[in-house]
Structures are given as structure tokens and as C-alpha cells.
Amino acid sequence: MTEPAPHASTGPLVVHTPDELRRALADAGRVALVPTMGALHEGHRSLMRVARERADTVVVSVFVNPLQFGPNEDFDRYPRTLDTDTAVCAQEGVDVVLAPSVNTMYPAEQTVTVHAGAMGERLEGASRPGFFTGVLTVVSKLLHLVGPDLAVFGRKDAQQLAVVRRMVADLNMPVEIVGAPTLRDPDGLATSSRNVYLSDAERASALFLSRALEAGRAAASEGPGAVRAAARAVLDGAAGATPPVELDYLALVDPATFADAPADHRGEAVLAVAARVGATRLIDNVSVDL
Ligand code: PAF
């Protein structure tokens, strides 16, 4: 049971346009932005709590960004639940919900976009061409619209966090990017808006992802090769589950560049996995101390 935050009684101001947002943020003090695509769950709540602790005013954006969905992805069926999302924000003491329309965000064709370079072309970027261009373009627009002091992103989307950090550094954007820990259900499944698509049997198969990552992490003292092999062994077993776990990638990478961790890598690395279970594509990762 989630405890309501102190601001819960008043509820957030819901704004839809840049003008309404500007008015809402007059005298806002230190502002934190939590960018989301809605369908808010416990994982988002934990991001809001990180934001709440660090700022006077918390803004949650709710925008299903068409630019980051490929032609065969789930843009149309992505859950849109603004009323429930606003209620979640009220419970977490959020001050402003920014819920722009697609037309407000993209009134004309977006001819200028932001590219992540090589680090956005592998793993998620290789499986979902154009994904990080869509993410970075909308995140930079949201950062310009809100002008926050800090923005909070989940470490569950570790490559997204890395490319956003890189964009902010490379383009001298005056905002602190905060990475918040991944929230997991008691069975180990990382919370995700896409978990609602999973049947009970698919959910059981999906648990192989977090098991594989934990097996990899447990082999950290033996080096990168052992980490990859331990995780791979679990995923090999998952291919025979019902329904099967169809592996997209398993990678052990440098957390800042997302380049493969070499055999002599020492310090932190990210063990990342992506797989399809039924029609649902899931990603997860853990930090591994080598
Ligand atoms: O992580 C997400 O939900 C989205 O990629 C983001 C950061 C809100 C951009 O649309």
C-alpha cells in the first residue's frame, strides 16, 4: 500500500500547452522534471519520490511520443490513462502534470532532431532504429519547455539514461540528470508499463530475464567472460520455456558509453538484456561490479 505524500490533498495542476506551463511555473523555485509516457506504475512513483525530495516543484510529463515508436511497434495500443495517471501524481505530491497533445509537441514535421551517435546505434538502437533519435528529440523539447534544474530517469532504461546524460553534456544543457534505481516486483520482474500486456504464463517466462541478470552478477568476481556465460546459460534454458523467451541481445557494457566491456574491464559495468515474450518486448539490466 502506497502512503500518500503530504501534497496529496490539492492534486496537481494539469496543463496541456507551453503557455499554461509557463504560468504554472512562475515562482516555482527549484524544479524537477520526471518525463514519462504515462501508464504510471510503482516504478514511476519511485522516480517521483526522488524528484520530490530534491525540488520545490515537481513536474511529470505524460506524453506518448510517436517519434520513438517504429512502424511495427505498439504506439497505437500503448496504454493511455491520463485520469489514473493524474491520481497517481496527486498521491505522490506532484505539482504539475504536463500532458501535451501530439499536435502541441509536433505542430509541423520535426525536421531538426537530436542523434545519439554511435552509442545510440547498438543494442536498443540496433533493434529499434530511430528510437534514440525520437527519445533525445522529445527529451530535449521537454527540457526546453520546462527548464528544470534536474530531470529524473529510471536506470531500468540504462542505455536511454546514458544517451540522455551524453546529450546534456555534449550540448551543454543546464540540467542535472538523476538516475533512479530500478523497482522490481517481489518475484524480480522489473516494473514496466508493458508488463500489463503479459499473461500469467508470459509473466512466468519473463522472470528468466531477471534470473539471468542475477546469475551474471553472481559471477562478477570471475570477470566479464564468466558474467556473460552465467547469464547466457539461464537464457539458453529460457528458450525452452512455455512460452519461450526469444532473446534479442545480452550485453555487458561500459555504463557511460555502452561499448562492450573488454575482457580486462574493471569497476562498474551494465549487464543488459532484451527479449520478446509472446508479443511483448522486455528489457532489463543490472549493475555489475567487476
Ligand atoms: O522512458 C520513457 O518513458 C520515454 O522514453 C521518455 C523518456 C518519457 C521519452 O518519451
Side-chain angles (χ1 to χ4, degrees):
M1 181 67 189
T2 305
E3 282 294 310
H7 303 57
S9 56
T10 51
L13 186 63
V14 181
V15 300
H16 302 279
T17 66
D19 279 349
E20 289 172 349
L21 177 68
R22 236 184 321 275
R23 282 196 292 276
L25 293 184
D27 304 323
R30 187 172 161 78
V31 175
L33 170 66
V34 182
T36 81
M37 297 205 301
L40 303 178
H41 49 66
E42 284 298 322
H44 293 114
R45 285 183 189 266
S46 69
L47 305 186
M48 293 175 208
R49 288 175 196 159
V50 169
R52 185 70 278 163
E53 276 171 16
R54 292 166 178 244
D56 304 308
T57 300
V58 175
V59 180
V60 171
S61 60
V62 174
F63 179 63
V64 184
N65 173 33
L67 218 60
Q68 69 189 74
F69 287 78
N72 299 318
E73 293 187 349
D74 56 349
F75 176 69
D76 288 331
R77 75 165 182 148
Y78 200 86
R80 287 161 173 87
T81 55
L82 184 59
D83 289 348
T84 324
D85 292 343
T86 304
V88 169
C89 290
Q91 288 175 348
E92 296 304 331
V94 168
D95 302 284
V96 179
V97 171
L98 169 63
S101 67
V102 171
N103 205 38
T104 297
M105 289 301 279
Y106 300 114
E109 188 195 346
Q110 183 79 25
T111 57
V112 176
T113 52
V114 185
H115 296 268
M119 71 184 289
E121 277 160 22
R122 51 189 327 258
L123 305 183
E124 281 306 287
S127 299
R128 306 178 67 187
F131 172 67
F132 285 120
T133 299
V135 168
L136 290 187
T137 301
V138 80
V139 168
S140 61
K141 285 165 82 89
L142 291 167
L143 291 175
H144 289 307
L145 285 169
V146 177
D149 297 277
L150 63 117
V152 185
F153 292 82
R155 287 195 208 132
K156 164 157 183 300
D157 298 304
Q159 192 176 4
Q160 169 173 280
L161 176 61
V163 298
V164 167
R165 281 193 199 286
R166 189 62 190 246
M167 171 181 77
V168 162
D170 284 0
L171 299 182
N172 301 89
M173 293 178 160
V175 60
E176 179 194 354
I177 301 300
V178 177
T182 301
L183 206 77
R184 295 183 182 280
D185 289 340
D187 58 10
L189 188 69
T191 58
S192 162
S193 303
R194 291 191 169 95
N195 290 355
V196 296
Y197 300 150
L198 298 171
S199 67
D200 288 349
E202 287 169 345
R203 195 188 158 92
S205 293
L207 295 181
F208 277 99
L209 267 60
S210 52
R211 275 186 219 138
L213 296 177
E214 279 313 318
R217 179 147 66 183
S221 62
E222 297 162 60
V227 169
R228 290 185 178 103
R232 170 72 63 172
V234 175
L235 291 167
D236 284 349
T242 311
V245 175
E246 296 162 47
L247 184 63
D248 181 350
Y249 62 75
L250 171 73
L252 184 68
V253 297
D254 180 292
T257 63
F258 263 71
D260 279 328
D264 60 354
H265 185 90
R266 292 289 169 268
E268 196 199 341
V270 170
L271 182 61
V273 66
R276 197 168 283 281
V277 180
T280 307
R281 188 170 180 280
L282 298 168
I283 62 170
D284 198 358
N285 72 85
V286 291
S287 172
V288 178
D289 194 11
L290 287 158

